Amino acid sequence: MVDRIADPWGPRTPYGPGERWPVRVDTFLADGHTEADVQRWVPSASILHSNGDALDIAVVDDRIVGVRGRAGDRVNHGRVDPKDLYGWQANHSPDRLRRPLVREGDRLVETDWDTAMGRVVARSKELWEGPGGWGHFGFYTSGQLFLEEYYALGVIGKAGLGTPHMDGNTRLCTATAAAALKASFGADGQPGSYTDVDHCDAIALWGHNVAETQTVLWMRMLDRRCGPNPPAVLAVDPRATPVAREADVHLAPRNGTNVALLNGLLRELIHRGRYDEAYVGAHTLGFDELCRVVEDYPVAKVAELCDLRPADIERAAELLGESERLVSTVLQGFYQSNQATAAACQVNNLHLIRGMLGRPGAGIYQMNGQPTAQNTRETGADGDLPGLRNWENPAHIAELARLWNVDVDTIPHWSPPTHAMQIFRYAEQGSIKLLWISATNPAVSLPDLARIRRILSKPDLFVVVQDIFRTETAELADVVLPAATWGEKTGTFTSVDRTVHISEKAVEPPGEARADLDIFLDYARRMDFRDRDGNPLIRWTGPEEVFEAWKECSRGRPCDYTGITYERLRGGGIQWPCDEAHPDGTERLYTDGVFHTDPDDCETYGHDLTTGAELLADEYRAKEPHGRAFLHAAPYQPSPEVPSDDYPLLLTTGRTVYQFHTRTKTGRSTQLDHAAPESWLELNPSDAERLGVGEGDLCRIESPRGVVRARARLCGVRPGVVFLPFHYGYWDTGDGAAPGEGRHDRAANELTVTAWDAVSKQPIFKVAAVRVVKEAGSDGRPAPAPTVGAAAPPAGSGIPATVGGPAAEASSREE
């Protein structure tokens, strides 16, 4: 087997345009096992990224011993990401949670399920029946549970308790994808298919390091690049990632200037006549306003704002304009940066004005960061309503009320759903008094971590944590519930290109750990939620019952699942919508140029992209969209935090191919942990020289909010920008500390700012102002005290010390 740590993407299998991607089956089994030993292969899919790769779990003597990719699946054709090859070993980690924990004084102690759930239910009933009722409950979930678990949680929250305070850590990675799809096309759901890579002649990656975040999709792109008539590649990223090194054109804009760049590229395409006038006239609204706004962004101005060479912008415009079949992907470089939704919408605009939708090779992936992020949005476990319904549409609320047999007023729809950052603000202010956190670790993943620790430690906040390990967040909980994970329970989940897979239970969970669905259903029974006829609101006992109920909730909606069954999924992934009209699923949306923008169908009435102000239903209807997509124009605005004399550098955060999120699983896999055991700091050599920093030197990175320490890597990140991976928390410091008690100086989010996009409410992780100071050399010797400021760029360097005016106060921004 190829060393998939040294070579994460494995050997190439070249193919040409219109050909089927060749099969390559990736397999890893624990030492001492061969495929002949495997007693059962259990169908599942990837759980450590969002690509949706189908795989089978190898079981010997009721123990997981490995995985292999599924050759016949439409997504991966047998290939598997390195995190999935090795990450399953965390299931066997000796520090798995096996029994519930409850807080006694300053300690967590083991107990039984009745005691743990008794405490949760007693506090819930006390709050629910007292003044404020539903307003005291907050739920913060994940992008790694199953569809069935999210739907059950959504019904508990929205029809049982009636609280709007529900969101997930998908707010950190995928909220902008949903917001942009709704804004442009009327509803969530990716227009394209992964098979578009098989047909395209150009690929544009907008803030998307696909090589490390969705490695199997990158394998597909590389195989096209190695075959005949390869597609051209444009990469937009301030770092010299593997994608940037492969690209024909690499643009490394100054962080926070994505809208300026896209406005300039759109202007170039329009001026060059590289747009489909007939498609624009028949299928879009807003072209004249778009032309008016982008006219103010000539190449010279954009080059100055973005700190790019004009010739490179023109080369990018030429690549985009010459293509006949363009695939675009968008991820965190846009979603976690300044003007996130506006920037993502400009990518949609690019495809709309060129008519690059609904046909092979012409599509968009507004990517997800997690394997089941799509399901949180579909089922209502986050800030959306189930079935991609519009919370402002009375008919949609009435549909849900009939489906759940509850009063309309029970379902929260009197104001926008509460996004994650506001949930934590309400907990900070004391109005949310019970916060239930499932399968996520906000004590490492949210911005401004010192503040998050203070919130989770408040004596008047009752924190429930449902997880598989004793994470940094679990250490701050009042009750910890041990959960089963992938391979230990059954459910379904949906990938970026709307492909639904089933993951079957392969083995029993350890100790007394329970499936997340069983925990939610147990809570519902103990709370005795009732429908309007006095019957139990939730009567489900297992995942397939929940899936069948979900299908009815999705009926007739853009994400219709009614043609999908567990039995059909055992034969391979199926794309939604799948109904009587599309029994085999739907490869591409909007093939007829008709979008979900009808006022009675759309998922949102829209927002002002600059202010986030919501449009009224009457305003929306007055536009008379008639199934046409919206071209949204937005002028560039500077980031909420910009460099200053005290903090002259911009911090961006991101991922490494070997780790996932806060490393709760990948950090417990020997291969993955050894490949990337510690955080690091990326510096441009010119910045490093001014700082006196060499390769491997220990540096202190400071922002107005905190301090992080990491060793330097001198590399191709753009001048004036530094990079930290965000995966690293505190539980494995190696200094003998108990979980959650280690040092706080390696978590990148000690530095990031509490600010978010006006529309998607996604936190802005990519534009924190920092300074860097050398603390010790690579040999361990302390560095001399600095004699100058923290490496402000020299005059004439082309790197301005500040961008767009004075730094804005962003520590407590409200929308």
Side-chain angles (χ1 to χ4, degrees), residues 251-540:
L251 299 179
R254 180 182 290 119
N255 297 36
T257 62
N258 295 327
V259 166
L261 174 62
L262 263 297
N263 282 351
L265 291 171
L266 287 165
R267 180 184 184 276
E268 279 295 290
L269 293 177
I270 292 167
H271 275 237
R272 297 180 185 196
R274 302 300 298 182
Y275 65 95
D276 188 330
E277 187 173 0
Y279 189 94
V280 168
H283 301 294
T284 72
L285 286 171
F287 184 68
D288 290 343
E289 175 64 8
L290 178 68
C291 290
R292 185 190 68 77
V293 171
V294 303
E295 185 60 31
D296 195 34
Y297 293 87
V299 168
K301 178 178 178 178
V302 172
E304 182 177 359
L305 288 170
C306 301
D307 194 20
L308 294 169
R309 296 190 306 174
D312 290 338
I313 298 172
E314 290 171 349
R315 288 177 61 211
E318 182 177 0
L319 183 153
L320 296 169
E322 299 273 326
S323 67
E324 296 298 329
R325 296 174 302 281
L326 172 68
V327 167
S328 281
T329 78
V330 193
L331 198 57
Q332 311 301 20
F334 275 41
Y335 297 165
Q336 294 180 342
S337 191
N338 183 42
Q339 295 184 278
T341 304
C345 283
Q346 302 319 303
V347 179
N348 294 343
N349 288 345
L350 173 64
H351 279 257
L352 287 167
I353 70 168
R354 298 227 56 224
M356 293 285 183
L357 288 172
R359 54 189 174 88
I364 303 170
Y365 316 142
Q366 296 280 357
M367 297 295 295
N368 300 331
Q370 296 186 77
T372 64
Q374 185 67 44
N375 300 121
T376 65
R377 290 151 32 193
E378 296 166 1
T379 60
D382 64 355
D384 295 300
L385 285 180
L388 308 185
R389 289 176 171 86
N390 186 342
W391 70 270
E392 293 183 280
N393 187 325
H396 288 190
I397 304 299
E399 286 176 3
L400 288 177
R402 287 193 297 272
L403 185 73
W404 295 335
N405 194 27
V406 297
D407 291 331
V408 167
D409 289 342
T410 301
I411 301 172
H413 63 284
W414 48 85
S415 66
T418 313
H419 61 95
M421 301 303 291
Q422 191 64 49
I423 287 174
F424 278 85
R425 175 56 54 80
Y426 287 156
E428 184 176 44
Q429 294 172 336
S431 58
I432 285 180
K433 298 181 184 299
L434 188 152
L435 181 59
W436 191 319
I437 300 169
S438 51
T440 186
N441 193 13
V444 176
S445 60
L446 283 176
D448 193 0
L449 288 180
R451 172 176 174 258
I452 299 303
R453 287 192 297 274
R454 290 194 299 270
I455 294 171
L456 293 174
S457 301
K458 282 168 55 71
D460 60 344
L461 179 65
F462 189 87
V463 177
V464 180
V465 169
Q466 181 173 314
D467 215 321
I468 63 175
F469 292 109
R470 193 164 162 167
T471 64
E472 293 87 343
T473 303
E475 288 300 319
L476 303 173
D478 295 282
V479 175
V480 179
L481 305 175
T485 187
W486 166 97
E488 300 166 359
K489 58 183 183 176
T490 294
T492 57
F493 49 98
T494 307
S495 74
V496 170
D497 80 336
R498 297 170 283 103
T499 300
V500 185
H501 285 107
I502 190 168
S503 181
E504 302 267 24
K505 182 178 180 178
V507 297
E508 293 296 325
E512 299 176 23
R514 296 180 178 178
D516 296 275
L517 178 61
D518 293 339
I519 296 171
F520 293 142
L521 296 182
D522 185 28
Y523 178 72
R525 285 191 294 271
R526 291 172 187 260
M527 289 294 292
D528 196 26
F529 296 125
R530 297 279 164 167
D531 66 17
R532 66 189 306 170
D533 296 325
N535 298 314
L537 174 68
I538 294 176
R539 308 181 207 182
W540 312 312

Side-chain angles (χ1 to χ4, degrees), residues 139 252 815:
F139 291 86
E815 304 298 343

Side-chain angles (χ1 to χ4, degrees), residues 208-220:
H208 183 198
N209 182 11
V210 62
E212 299 196 69
T213 55
Q214 288 85 23
T215 65
V216 170
L217 181 57
W218 182 236
M219 295 172 202
R220 196 169 195 150

Side-chain angles (χ1 to χ4, degrees), residues 239 651-656 659 661 678-682 708 710 713 723-728 746-749:
R239 300 171 62 215
L651 168 70
T652 186
T653 66
R655 304 170 187 252
T656 172
Q659 302 292 355
H661 283 203
E678 274 291 346
S679 187
W680 69 90
L681 170 71
E682 291 184 8
V708 170
R713 295 183 184 178
F723 168 86
L724 285 169
F726 71 84
H727 308 288
Y728 297 87
R746 70 180 202 160
N749 284 317

Side-chain angles (χ1 to χ4, degrees), residues 9-270:
W9 309 292
R12 300 277 57 76
T13 54
Y15 70 117
E19 298 175 1
R20 180 176 171 82
W21 189 25
V23 168
R24 188 195 88 196
V25 176
D26 295 341
T27 305
F28 174 73
L29 297 173
D31 288 346
H33 291 282
T34 66
E35 292 198 47
D37 301 328
V38 176
Q39 296 164 347
R40 289 184 293 126
W41 290 100
V42 180
S44 185
S46 55
I47 197 67
L48 295 172
H49 53 85
S50 65
N51 207 59
D53 309 328
L55 51 84
D56 296 317
I57 301 170
V59 179
V60 174
D61 296 333
D62 295 320
R63 183 178 174 86
I64 297 175
V65 299
V67 296
R68 73 178 179 192
R70 197 174 314 142
D73 195 81
R74 65 174 307 279
V75 170
N76 59 322
H77 295 213
R79 293 159 185 80
V80 179
D81 178 284
K83 292 185 286 294
D84 294 308
L85 276 179
Y86 306 118
W88 58 268
Q89 296 167 97
N91 283 41
H92 304 318
S93 183
D95 62 341
R96 281 287 301 273
L97 285 169
R98 287 168 165 77
R99 297 195 70 205
L101 306 173
V102 294
R103 183 162 299 283
E104 297 292 351
D106 61 354
R107 296 188 309 124
L108 288 169
V109 299
E110 287 191 350
T111 190
D112 56 76
W113 273 97
D114 276 343
T115 299
M117 291 301 292
R119 289 199 185 187
V120 176
V121 171
R123 184 60 173 147
S124 295
K125 288 186 174 180
E126 178 186 15
L127 294 172
W128 194 32
E129 295 167 2
W134 57 261
H136 294 317
F137 291 83
F139 291 86
Y140 185 61
T141 190
S142 176
Q144 296 178 69
L145 301 184
F146 290 156
L147 178 153
E148 294 80 355
E149 293 162 343
Y150 292 133
Y151 186 54
L153 179 60
V155 175
I156 287 170
K158 291 178 168 63
L161 294 166
T163 179
H165 306 327
M166 304 188 73
D167 206 353
N169 67 13
T170 50
R171 183 66 54 186
L172 314 182
C173 67
T174 189
T176 299
L181 291 167
K182 295 176 197 177
S184 296
F185 310 130
D188 200 347
Q190 306 295 337
S193 162
Y194 285 147
T195 58
D196 288 329
V197 174
D198 307 342
H199 302 277
C200 67
D201 61 12
I203 300 171
L205 300 118
W206 308 94
H208 183 198
N209 182 11
V210 62
E212 299 196 69
T213 55
Q214 288 85 23
T215 65
V216 170
L217 181 57
W218 182 236
M219 295 172 202
R220 196 169 195 150
M221 294 174 177
L222 284 177
D223 287 351
R224 275 295 322 273
R225 291 276 289 178
C226 292
N229 301 312
V233 172
L234 165 66
V236 177
D237 198 311
R239 300 171 62 215
T241 63
V243 174
R245 293 193 291 271
E246 174 71 23
D248 299 285
V249 180
H250 172 211
L251 299 179
R254 180 182 290 119
N255 297 36
T257 62
N258 295 327
V259 166
L261 174 62
L262 263 297
N263 282 351
L265 291 171
L266 287 165
R267 180 184 184 276
E268 279 295 290
L269 293 177
I270 292 167

